[in-house]
Amino acid sequence: MYVYLDIAADFTCQMCGRCCRNDWQVTLTEESYQRNKCLFESTGREKEFAEAFIPLAGSGGLDEYAYIAKQANGACWFLAAENYCRLHREAGHSHLDAVCQLFPRYPMSTARGQELTLSFSCPAVLNLASRKAPLMVIRAEEPPLEVLAGQFVAHVYPHQQSEGNPLRYYFEMEQHFIDIMQWRSVTVNERLQILGETVERIRQLENCDRSMLGTNLTAIFYKNYEHFDACPVQLADNRTEFLLENFFVNLIFKKVFYIYGLQRALTLLDKAAKHIELLRARAVDSQGELAALTQGIMDVEFQYGHNRQALL
């Protein structure tokens, strides 16, 4: 089974070059490092290889062996005029390291199948997400793109959690959290407050009878749904609210509550909301507010995706 947010199937690179100009460090596996070494040696460019691919000192993260150097202006070593990648043009897409092949796609291996969404640090993704229609979770027998086993950025298997841990019911919780964030009778900030209150009630179940955990979770969910059903949907045609909603839905779908745990993930969402709201408050009109929101979302995605401790 393949599970993905619908925008993942619609993405195409717009060649803006933003991802190749960010100040993050693009790392490579040892296999990719050796593959590039062979390519550059075959064309007599040993000197450029030594300048472009820098082995990491000591132990890097998972499968991190080296990184790609930057140009003096901060852009990736291989970014050329008109925002094309020299390495891609010379050797093809399959030659690139997994990071460059997949970004901004975010593939996950989970107990219910391969899952996929996108990073909101890409302007093309934000353009897709600035829509009135809510994001949809698609379940299909065919993937929107091929992902190799070593390219997953998250592994989510709730049955490995202890019996008293609510995360054993992670997928049920994730769907409920998404339903909360897509309840358009109140503002996005009010939905975040409801989400926080719901998470706190779930956390209290950690000390309850294990045999009643599933039943108690269901009771929490249904209490929220009864509240939702009693309130009419008041859909304001506000592009900034739609984009903000879709950002938080995507963040939840990226499994932050499983990866970090309920409390730390809630802290991440709270800090993200406050950072974004601070930028929005400085805007003088609706167009400026949308630009500020876009910048705030990209800031948060950058910190979450490439410097996770900054928000936690």
Side-chain angles (χ1 to χ4, degrees):
M1 180 66 68
Y2 299 93
V3 184
Y4 54 93
L5 291 183
D6 56 352
I7 56 172
D10 298 331
F11 173 78
T12 55
C13 178
Q14 301 301 305
M15 299 291 289
C16 71
R18 182 181 177 89
C19 60
C20 303
R21 291 189 177 89
N22 278 313
D23 60 357
W24 55 49
Q25 189 178 78
V26 176
T27 57
L28 305 89
T29 62
E30 183 174 5
E31 178 186 4
S32 180
Y33 178 85
Q34 296 298 336
R35 184 167 66 244
N36 280 286
K37 183 178 181 180
C38 291
L39 172 68
F40 279 71
E41 287 180 346
S42 69
T43 53
R45 293 179 292 163
E46 290 87 352
K47 181 180 179 181
E48 184 184 4
F49 174 79
E51 294 174 334
F53 298 95
I54 314 299
L56 288 165
S59 176
L62 182 63
D63 291 331
E64 292 179 331
Y65 182 81
Y67 66 92
I68 298 177
K70 300 282 190 180
Q71 300 178 38
N73 62 5
C76 174
W77 181 275
F78 297 105
L79 185 65
E82 299 179 359
N83 293 327
Y84 77 84
C85 172
R86 292 192 292 113
L87 194 59
H88 183 285
R89 177 164 290 187
E90 177 181 0
H93 184 263
S94 61
H95 180 87
L96 301 176
D97 193 71
V99 173
C100 296
Q101 284 190 39
L102 288 174
F103 185 84
R105 300 168 184 88
Y106 190 94
M108 300 162 284
S109 173
T110 80
R112 62 184 182 183
Q114 292 185 13
E115 303 198 29
L116 181 71
T117 186
L118 301 171
S119 169
F120 276 44
S121 60
C122 171
V125 174
L126 290 173
N127 187 54
L128 284 174
S130 300
R131 70 185 202 191
K132 187 174 183 178
L135 297 183
M136 293 182 60
V137 178
I138 306 296
R139 293 170 173 80
E141 295 184 358
E142 298 294 331
L145 79 156
E146 182 180 3
V147 177
L148 302 180
Q151 296 177 329
F152 297 115
V153 294
H155 300 267
V156 180
Y157 292 85
H159 63 273
Q160 296 177 351
Q161 301 294 327
S162 62
E163 291 186 4
N165 190 335
L167 288 178
R168 281 182 70 93
Y169 295 86
Y170 171 74
F171 293 121
E172 291 85 353
M173 286 194 297
E174 177 184 276
Q175 183 58 60
H176 186 62
F177 295 165
I178 289 175
D179 289 343
I180 291 173
M181 293 311 304
Q182 292 183 330
W183 182 50
R184 291 182 170 179
S185 292
V186 296
T187 67
V188 172
N189 285 335
E190 290 172 312
R191 295 175 226 173
L192 286 170
Q193 182 177 349
I194 295 171
L195 176 61
E197 294 168 353
T198 301
V199 169
E200 289 303 319
R201 291 199 297 271
I202 292 173
R203 291 183 64 229
Q204 293 174 10
L205 299 180
E206 295 175 357
N207 301 318
C208 296
D209 184 354
R210 294 181 180 181
S211 65
M212 293 295 293
L213 180 57
T215 300
N216 290 334
L217 274 172
T218 300
I220 291 173
F221 298 164
Y222 271 89
K223 184 176 181 180
N224 280 341
Y225 288 132
E226 288 175 357
H227 177 61
F228 297 166
D229 291 341
C231 299
V233 174
Q234 300 174 349
L235 183 61
D237 193 3
N238 188 327
R239 189 180 176 190
T240 58
E241 283 288 288
F242 299 148
L243 177 56
L244 190 59
E245 169 193 310
N246 290 338
F247 163 68
F248 282 111
V249 168
N250 188 66
L251 198 57
I252 292 168
F253 189 79
K254 290 170 78 172
K255 314 295 183 267
V256 292
F257 282 98
Y258 188 88
I259 294 170
Y260 294 115
L262 295 175
Q263 184 56 53
R264 293 185 73 209
L266 199 59
T267 299
L268 187 152
L269 265 65
D270 180 62
K271 289 187 176 182
K274 289 179 178 177
H275 176 74
I276 291 170
E277 190 62 29
L278 181 63
L279 292 182
R280 290 179 68 183
R282 297 172 181 171
V284 296
D285 54 34
S286 59
Q287 185 175 358
E289 183 183 10
L290 181 60
L293 173 61
T294 299
Q295 185 59 54
I297 287 175
M298 287 193 290
D299 288 348
V300 169
E301 280 281 342
F302 174 79
Q303 297 294 348
Y304 165 71
H306 305 281
N307 185 16
R308 299 188 177 189
Q309 295 303 314
L311 285 177
L312 295 170

